[in-house]
Amino acid sequence: MTPHPRLPLQAVLFDMDGTLVDTERLWWEAVEHVAGRPLTDADRPEVLGRPVEYTADWLAHTTGRPLDDLSAALHREFAERVRTGIVPRPGALDLLDALARDGVPTALVTASPRAVAGSVLAVLGADRFAVAVTADDTARSKPAPDPYLAACYALGAEPAACVAVEDTQTGVTSAEAAGCAVLAVPSLAPIAPAPGRRVRSSLVGVTTEELKAMVVREQTPTTPQLSVMSWNLWLGGSPVEDHRAKQVKAVLDTGVDVVGLQETAGTATRELAEALGWHHHTAGENLGIISRHPITARHGDPDVGFYGAAGARILVGPGLEIDVWTAHLHYTPYGPYESAFDGLAAPALIAHEEVRLAQMRETLRWIARSGDDGVPVVLVGDFNCPSHLDWPDVRWPVTEAAEEAGLCDSYREAHPDPAEAPGHTWSPIHPLHEDAGGRVEPQDRIDYVLHRGLRTLDSRTHVAGTPRAWPDVAGNDWPSDHAAVVTTFALPGAG
């Protein structure tokens, strides 16, 4: 089924348990029965919105009982309660009827197995839904974006033109990571309002027009543009819970077209591209590029080590290609530490940039060999050093070498005064130095989007939410220790 292309609201995607039917209470009771104890507020993150296997694994770790026995018991107890106690949530059937009258397709997106979903659909009416995505249908369940992305794909709908209706924070995270607007109707735990998210106490009185108003339709820019992001994922994102879903959400929230990645931990490039339905290029153990536009060629050493550079040629329009490179330069010795903590003067700081300068020169040689046909070039990366454009007394040689090769610093083009717009990317989670000595961490701009042959329209740093400081970072919305840099370029030939 393909939604009408002119509809501002292409589909509404409904969670099941606790959203359409009052089964969160039944699930809670089933888990209590299997756990053999009353559940508390501290247990909510392990129970609400979670698939059976997740909660079974949690119980196995906390009780020492066999995982398979717990999983079977949870399935059995929950299914029995569902068969005997399904009650539609207030307003749910009225909203489904209204959407059907208005010709808006709907999907069921649940973390429950298909056997349980089938029992619920028998009560609600399976014909109310064009698509049903269950825990059996995707490799990852909520809070990963996979279930909602699968539903959008099956409907032929753009996530940004869909509203997801959810009752738990786990489900909200999944839907927002997929790029959907969210109507939250909390069942057992509160959910805070947020940009792109509306919170209501029930579905009573919700109308199609209200849901249409939640969908923000992107305006086609009058000037053809390309938005590029540089992002160090921080060990693939592993220090932060649900990092892959949060990474997908960050890419969707920024609306970028291409992302140059560092610290990918080997698999992040491919996994992000697959979650987004994008193209990708992976090089070595640490570097990658993901693009909504096709990749037509790959540049550089495919077996590059942890540090170095990799590039890809991207077809951004009819007959128009751009080379995008991502680089990660060695992290030590780190100039801002040597300046702030050791008091080194400019000559010593510059002399200590030898390793990074050699890596930048090698990167520039790769770019010269691959891009001698007039194709515009973008070089992004974590250079692990400041810019000569930011420090009045230190001519940092790495960024000078890039400038001498004809590459322009897009952030400084958009914000010429470093005092007014420092653009710090290191570090949103380190206000103090990691050594626990109480020293203030030097903040600096060490991540870049450089270019040759394009025109900068805008450049900014990006961090989601307000990250907590190290080491209390597991629950952060922002799954990195760097800020990202996002630059929007006018494409060649644009006015």
Side-chain angles (χ1 to χ4, degrees):
M1 181 175 188
T2 302
H4 198 292
R6 289 178 294 177
L7 281 176
L9 176 64
Q10 293 184 5
V12 179
L13 317 173
F14 288 93
D15 171 60
M16 186 178 77
D17 302 310
T19 300
L20 288 175
V21 290
D22 190 13
T23 50
E24 287 292 5
R25 173 182 53 83
L26 304 179
W27 173 236
W28 189 265
E29 292 173 357
V31 176
E32 284 188 324
H33 180 85
V34 173
R37 66 170 177 84
L39 299 178
T40 69
D41 286 348
D43 301 316
R44 292 183 187 275
E46 316 301 335
V47 177
L48 296 185
R50 296 293 189 176
V52 172
E53 286 68 26
Y54 180 98
T55 302
D57 185 67
W58 166 66
L59 287 176
H61 281 88
T62 57
T63 66
R65 293 158 59 187
L67 174 61
D68 289 346
D69 291 351
L70 289 166
S71 181
L74 287 170
H75 275 289
R76 182 177 61 253
E77 292 296 329
F78 184 48
E80 180 60 29
R81 285 167 171 78
V82 167
R83 280 192 293 270
T84 59
I86 292 178
V87 177
R89 295 279 285 173
L93 297 181
D94 290 341
L95 178 55
L96 288 169
D97 289 341
L99 292 169
R101 286 194 304 269
D102 294 333
V104 179
T106 59
L108 188 73
V109 184
T110 176
S112 291
R114 184 161 292 278
V116 173
S119 298
V120 173
L121 287 171
V123 174
L124 295 176
D127 59 343
R128 293 180 182 274
F129 302 95
V131 171
V133 177
T134 74
D136 302 328
D137 299 321
T138 57
R140 299 182 302 171
S141 190
K142 304 172 186 179
D146 304 36
Y148 279 102
L149 290 171
C152 291
Y153 180 80
L155 289 167
E158 291 289 334
C162 297
V163 174
V165 186
E166 274 283 357
D167 74 305
T168 67
Q169 185 58 56
T170 299
V172 167
T173 299
S174 172
E176 291 181 342
C180 302
V182 172
L183 174 64
V185 187
S187 56
L188 296 179
I191 298 172
R197 182 193 310 167
R198 183 172 299 177
V199 180
R200 289 192 52 151
S201 60
S202 81
L203 293 176
V204 174
V206 176
T207 65
T208 303
E209 291 304 316
E210 179 180 344
L211 298 180
K212 284 181 180 178
M214 293 178 61
V215 177
V216 179
R217 303 190 71 182
E218 295 184 2
Q219 299 298 314
T220 302
T222 56
T223 300
Q225 299 175 2
L226 183 77
S227 184
V228 180
M229 179 159 76
S230 180
W231 195 11
N232 183 310
L233 295 183
W234 190 21
L235 304 175
S238 57
V240 176
E241 297 169 350
D242 300 327
H243 53 273
R244 194 69 76 237
K246 293 173 181 177
Q247 290 165 350
V248 170
K249 183 177 188 303
V251 172
L252 293 169
D253 284 350
T254 55
V256 295
D257 303 296
V258 181
V259 186
L261 301 168
Q262 308 91 43
E263 290 197 34
T264 63
T267 64
T269 303
R270 174 182 55 79
E271 292 173 1
L272 281 172
E274 289 176 351
L276 292 161
W278 285 17
H279 308 271
H280 77 280
H281 170 44
T282 298
E285 59 190 279
N286 176 48
L287 295 170
I289 295 168
I290 60 175
S291 169
R292 69 169 71 245
H293 301 294
I295 292 174
T296 61
R298 289 165 170 79
H299 303 317
D301 180 4
D303 298 319
V304 63
F306 192 83
Y307 297 107
R313 181 157 294 185
I314 297 172
L315 181 65
V316 297
L320 178 58
E321 293 180 311
I322 290 177
D323 282 346
V324 177
W325 289 78
T326 180
H328 191 198
L329 309 185
H330 205 285
Y331 78 103
T332 187
Y334 186 52
Y337 289 168
E338 294 188 312
S339 174
F341 300 153
D342 303 330
L344 295 191
L349 295 174
I350 292 170
H352 288 182
E353 291 294 312
E354 290 179 353
V355 171
R356 281 184 289 270
L357 180 58
Q359 292 170 339
M360 173 57 77
R361 285 173 172 162
E362 177 65 13
T363 297
L364 295 172
R365 284 193 288 270
W366 274 112
I367 292 174
R369 285 196 294 268
S370 304
D372 57 1
D373 48 4
V375 172
V377 174
V378 177
L379 170 62
V380 311
D382 170 11
F383 295 173
N384 273 311
C385 65
S387 170
H388 67 287
L389 300 176
D390 297 353
W391 286 54
D393 301 324
V394 182
R395 301 296 298 180
W396 296 100
V398 171
T399 53
E400 274 202 327
E403 184 177 79
E404 289 167 1
L407 293 168
C408 301
D409 185 329
S410 66
Y411 188 84
R412 277 290 158 252
E413 286 182 317
H415 309 280
D417 188 345
E420 290 185 2
H424 294 156
T425 60
W426 181 266
S427 162
I429 67 164
H430 288 295
L432 300 178
H433 194 51
E434 276 191 43
D435 64 3
R439 294 183 295 179
V440 174
E441 177 77 3
Q443 301 295 305
D444 220 303
R445 188 170 70 99
I446 63 173
D447 300 80
Y448 300 89
V449 178
L450 311 181
H451 74 97
R452 184 175 65 221
L454 296 170
R455 178 164 61 89
T456 298
L457 297 176
D458 180 54
S459 187
R460 58 189 173 89
T461 59
H462 177 75
V463 173
T466 304
R468 289 185 290 275
W470 176 265
D472 184 27
V473 299
N476 280 349
D477 292 331
W478 184 244
S480 178
D481 55 350
H482 288 242
V485 184
V486 178
T487 296
T488 301
F489 296 107
L491 292 175

